[in-house]
């Protein structure tokens, strides 16, 4: 199913691609009351006289950087870009209790902290920071860029754009059952008790955040691809209270930098029709459509096509130059 999973093949011609990535470096940076864990990817060979653009990446709902985020970062580094992939607080190797807590305000704060940190990385051009987000973080990058005019470009892959539309697309019975669990978790939090959790993915009809026919198999496929044992992630259920009011796609109109939306036309997790409607409002927006579902975009030939389009986008809008001195 995977094609070139290590990302060692070249894509396209005529850029400053090295074809090889230097060993990644683990870093930690402060965010709010904790620390985010990250990996820095560098081209194996670059012009030391020039500052390089840097791509900042984070995963979707309940994801962490080991779930193929490094594969995207490596591809950008092969083309001569720096890349920083990071975990939100409460996830992966980052700090934060309770574990697997999804909190919108904290994740957006982590994005701001990651961008600020990226601008201080040795060799990075602070005026050429590119944001890359997928699924839930595809919405986060729109909000982050809308609030930061210095962002050079944005890639939103199969983005979560409208929580109200997503909630309405959920089976009514499932939504009501999830909200009951969310109430229990909110009460537990107020009383200082352990979280009441809910599953991220499940089969159609089960009580889970994502229950489209492809959700469970698609989520598991990402774990299988990187050789990690799969156990359905379970997050504190209070997250459900934040979903309907989070409509990050509405901020696309405020993104002044080039914005590429990689749209999955058969997406049953983040409604594609609403996403396209909002993405079209971006002043410098571009849309690439793919006839696949939400999880198909991470693998095989479709991954190759999508990442090639994303590389073409950043090379066109944020080319690697040699004029900036350290």
């Amino acid at each position: 199913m995977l094609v070139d999973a290590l990302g060692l093949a070249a894509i396209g011609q005529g850029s400053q691609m090295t074809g090889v990535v230097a060993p990644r470096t683990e870093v930690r940076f402060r965010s709010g009351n904790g620390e985010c864990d990250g990996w820095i990817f560098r081209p194996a060979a670059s012009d030391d006289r020039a500052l390089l653009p840097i791509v900042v990446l984070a995963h979707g709902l309940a994801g962490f950087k080991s779930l193929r985020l490094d594969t995207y970062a490596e591809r950008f580094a092969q083309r001569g870009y720096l890349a920083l992939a990071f975990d939100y607080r409460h996830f992966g190797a980052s700090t934060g209790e309770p574990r697997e807590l999804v909190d919108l305000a904290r994740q957006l704060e982590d994005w701001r902290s990651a961008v600020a940190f990226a601008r201080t990385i040795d060799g990075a051009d602070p005026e050429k920071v590119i944001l890359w987000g997928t699924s839930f973080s595809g919405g986060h990058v729109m909000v982050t860029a809308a609030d930061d005019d210095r962002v050079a470009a944005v890639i939103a892959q199969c983005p979560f754009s409208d929580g109200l539309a997503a909630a309405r697309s959920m089976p009514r019975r499932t939504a009501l059952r999830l909200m009951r669990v969310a109430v229990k978790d909110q009460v537990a939090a107020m009383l200082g008790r352990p979280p009441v959790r809910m599953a991220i993915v499940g089969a159609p009809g089960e009580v889970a955040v994502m229950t489209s026919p492809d959700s469970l198999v698609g989520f598991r496929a990402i774990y299988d691809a990187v050789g990690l044992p799969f156990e359905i992630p379970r997050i504190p259920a209070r997250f459900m209270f934040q979903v309907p009011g989070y409509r990050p796609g509405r901020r696309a109109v405020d993104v002044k930098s080039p914005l590429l939306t990689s749209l999955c036309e058969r997406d049953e997790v983040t409604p594609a029709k609403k996403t396209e409607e909002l993405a079209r409002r971006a002043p410098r927006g571009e849309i690439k459509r793919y006839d696949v579902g939400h999880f198909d975009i991470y693998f095989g030939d479709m991954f190759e096509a999508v990442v090639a389009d994303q590389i073409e986008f950043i090379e066109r809008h944020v080319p690697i130059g040699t004029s900036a001195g350290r």
Side-chain angles (χ1 to χ4, degrees), residues 242-286:
Q242 302 184 46
V243 173
Y246 189 48
R247 310 181 76 180
R250 291 190 164 205
R251 298 302 308 279
V253 69
D254 301 317
V255 177
K256 295 181 173 59
S257 57
L259 167 63
L260 173 64
T261 301
S262 302
L263 188 71
C264 297
E265 293 186 309
R266 290 190 275 128
D267 197 329
E268 296 186 51
V269 177
T270 57
K273 183 177 180 181
K274 189 63 176 181
T275 296
E276 181 168 4
E277 174 191 326
L278 295 170
R280 285 187 175 279
R281 301 177 186 178
R284 302 177 66 187
E286 301 177 24

Side-chain angles (χ1 to χ4, degrees), residues 10-272:
I11 301 177
Q13 302 293 329
S15 76
Q16 299 187 31
M17 177 205 63
T18 64
V20 179
V21 180
R24 70 189 183 208
T25 303
E26 185 170 358
V27 293
R28 297 180 75 84
F29 57 88
R30 294 291 303 176
S31 183
N33 60 355
E35 290 184 329
C36 292
D37 190 84
W39 292 332
I40 295 176
F41 298 79
R42 296 180 180 275
S46 61
D47 186 345
D48 289 339
R49 297 170 299 174
L51 295 176
L52 298 175
I54 182 167
V55 185
V56 183
L57 309 91
H59 225 310
L61 185 63
F64 46 93
K65 60 185 182 298
S66 296
L67 297 178
R68 285 187 60 78
L69 208 61
D70 53 342
T71 311
Y72 288 89
E74 286 172 350
R75 288 299 177 92
F76 298 133
Q78 286 168 16
R79 305 298 289 203
Y81 291 77
L82 289 170
L84 168 67
F86 74 95
D87 289 331
Y88 298 113
R89 282 172 291 170
H90 305 276
F91 285 89
S94 297
T95 65
E97 294 291 340
R99 300 308 297 168
E100 286 71 60
L101 174 67
V102 180
D103 183 273
L104 296 179
R106 293 189 185 201
Q107 291 195 352
L108 289 171
E109 183 177 34
D110 292 345
W111 265 104
R112 293 191 295 270
S113 299
V115 170
F117 175 71
R119 288 178 171 140
T120 70
I121 291 174
D122 183 45
D125 188 332
E127 302 305 321
K128 292 185 178 181
V129 175
I130 302 158
L131 310 186
W132 185 99
T134 187
S135 194
F136 204 53
S137 66
H140 291 345
V141 294
M142 295 185 194
V143 175
T144 304
D147 292 336
D148 186 346
D149 291 346
R150 294 176 66 193
V151 168
V154 184
I155 297 172
Q157 175 175 282
C158 55
F160 176 94
S161 61
D162 191 295
L164 185 58
R168 286 173 173 169
S169 68
M170 184 178 292
R172 181 175 176 81
R173 184 181 178 188
T174 299
L176 290 174
R177 293 169 73 184
L178 285 171
M179 290 307 294
R180 283 198 291 269
V181 180
V183 170
K184 293 179 181 179
D185 183 47
Q186 192 68 55
V187 172
M190 293 170 60
L191 297 177
R193 296 174 179 171
V196 179
R197 297 178 178 270
M198 62 184 181
I200 283 292
V201 293
E206 293 184 344
V207 181
V209 180
M210 295 179 281
T211 58
S212 65
D214 63 337
S215 288
L216 184 57
V217 65
F219 211 89
R220 179 167 190 157
I222 299 176
Y223 278 77
D224 291 344
V226 298
L228 289 177
F230 178 66
E231 183 176 345
I232 294 176
R234 301 180 64 86
I235 65 173
R238 69 198 75 164
F239 164 70
M240 289 304 300
F241 289 119
Q242 302 184 46
V243 173
Y246 189 48
R247 310 181 76 180
R250 291 190 164 205
R251 298 302 308 279
V253 69
D254 301 317
V255 177
K256 295 181 173 59
S257 57
L259 167 63
L260 173 64
T261 301
S262 302
L263 188 71
C264 297
E265 293 186 309
R266 290 190 275 128
D267 197 329
E268 296 186 51
V269 177
T270 57

